[in-house]
Amino acid sequence: MTRVLCRLDELDATGAREIVLNKDGARVSVFVLKYRGHILGYVNSCPHVRLPLNWTADVFLDVSRTYLFCANHGAHFDVMSGLCIRGPCKGQSLTPYPVRVEDDSIVTDDI
Ligand code: FES
């Protein structure tokens, strides 16, 4: 079964969008983003101390939109791999979340 997470045009404002899922009764925050023609998804949990990365709704990229950014202690992550390249969790990675594009929407089969 497939679940629609959001429409592609909902990424236009910030490049990303947070979606809160209910998985087996547990609240799980994930985010999807559009980056250089790729659509990617990650679990919204920083490997440093497992806080959500964002302080502002749907803002996950730094101001240059070059890196994913954790607002808590400034970790920077490579967008394509999720690897932390600067900050307190350098060398650790975000957890990928499986997404794909179907028609004009971003969907997941992980439900
Ligand atoms: S919680 Fe992300 S850098 Fe500390």
Side-chain angles (χ1 to χ4, degrees):
M1 199 163 128
T2 298
R3 175 180 174 153
V4 175
L5 298 173
C6 66
R7 294 188 322 271
L8 279 169
D9 62 9
E10 292 179 280
L11 304 181
D12 289 348
T14 64
R17 184 162 176 96
E18 180 182 10
I19 296 110
V20 178
L21 305 170
N22 184 330
K23 290 189 72 170
D24 302 323
R27 179 186 182 278
V28 178
S29 171
V30 303
F31 63 97
V32 296
L33 69 152
K34 184 163 39 180
Y35 180 77
R36 297 183 181 171
H38 298 274
I39 298 295
L40 304 159
Y42 289 104
V43 176
N44 186 13
S45 177
C46 181
H48 180 212
V49 287
R50 293 296 168 196
L51 292 170
L53 279 79
N54 63 315
W55 285 358
T56 305
D58 301 328
V59 175
F60 292 90
L61 292 161
D62 69 342
V63 290
S64 69
R65 293 197 179 190
T66 304
Y67 299 103
L68 291 166
F69 175 75
C70 180
N72 297 293
H73 310 106
H76 284 64
F77 301 87
D78 176 77
V79 176
M80 294 300 295
S81 67
L83 178 68
C84 180
I85 49 92
R86 187 186 333 151
C89 46
K90 186 174 179 180
Q92 295 180 272
S93 294
L94 299 171
T95 302
Y97 185 73
V99 296
R100 60 187 169 81
V101 175
E102 191 172 288
D103 300 322
D104 293 334
S105 297
I106 300 172
V107 304
T108 187
D109 296 317
D110 179 57
I111 54 171

